[in-house]
Structure formats: structure tokens, C-alpha cells
Amino acid sequence: MLFKSKQAELLPQLFKEIIVPEGVFTEVTSAGEDDAASRQLPSVSWIQIVKITAVAPEIGAWDLGLGESQVLSLALETSDCAAIVDEEQQGVAVNRWALLPLAQEAY
């Protein structure tokens, strides 16, 4: 949503580190040329792509997508971080883990 609205450059202004799990990077960049994030994410210099070797069992039980599961697993093992998940999945995460939704896409 931030790439589509041309506001992705806000992320490095708001956060000192932007960590993107490999599963998220793959999902986003495979969306095709019609998707703004798919086109732009590979060329941004401010992301750090990390390999997540295992999804936390308590997160895996929620049956989320790979990207969302990797983000939440990383957040679970990392102190002092904010997790941003797809709005379609955030209701599940908020209800099950008491996460604060950081952004809503405007319609």
C-alpha cells in the first residue's frame, strides 16, 4: 500500500531498520509488473532481507500466509520491533496476539 500511494520512503524515516523476511520479498516481487511494490521493492536500498528458517509453532497454528507467518515469527523473537502485516491477515493477528494494526489502506 505504501508503494502504491508513493509513500514507501516514509519507512526509513520512521524506522532505523526495515527487515523484510525472504518469504515476504518473494511474495511481493512475484506479484507482477502491474503491482507497484513488485516493481519497486527490489530496487530500494533501505531494506534488509533476512532468511527465516522456521515459523514459530504458535504462529504456524494460525494458518496465515508464509510472508505473514515469517513477519510475526520474526517479531516474536525480536525485541523492540514493529510488525507490519497484510491488512487481510492483520485481523487474525490482532485478535490472536493483540497486535496493534499500524496502517489501514484507505478506500
Side-chain angles (χ1 to χ4, degrees):
M1 91 185 97
L2 290 174
F3 284 99
K4 187 176 183 179
S5 65
K6 298 181 176 32
Q7 296 180 345
E9 290 301 319
L10 291 174
L11 288 172
Q13 294 173 32
L14 296 170
F15 304 101
K16 64 180 179 180
E17 258 187 311
I18 314 296
I19 300 171
V20 179
E22 192 173 60
V24 172
F25 186 84
T26 300
E27 286 178 8
V28 170
T29 57
S30 66
E33 284 297 312
D34 292 338
D35 183 76
S38 182
R39 286 190 317 272
Q40 297 171 35
L41 186 63
S43 64
V44 297
S45 61
W46 40 261
I47 63 169
Q48 176 185 351
I49 301 168
V50 296
K51 186 175 183 87
I52 306 297
T53 56
V55 169
E58 57 267 53
I59 304 296
W62 297 348
D63 199 29
L64 301 172
L66 176 64
E68 289 82 9
S69 295
Q70 287 185 351
V71 166
L72 295 175
S73 293
L74 181 62
L76 188 62
E77 68 181 39
T78 306
S79 63
D80 194 27
C81 74
I84 300 175
V85 296
D86 186 300
E87 72 175 37
E88 293 175 9
Q89 300 294 335
Q90 80 181 6
V92 173
V94 168
N95 290 332
R96 295 186 179 162
W97 201 27
L99 287 177
L100 176 66
L102 296 179
Q104 290 286 338
E105 186 169 356
Y107 291 97

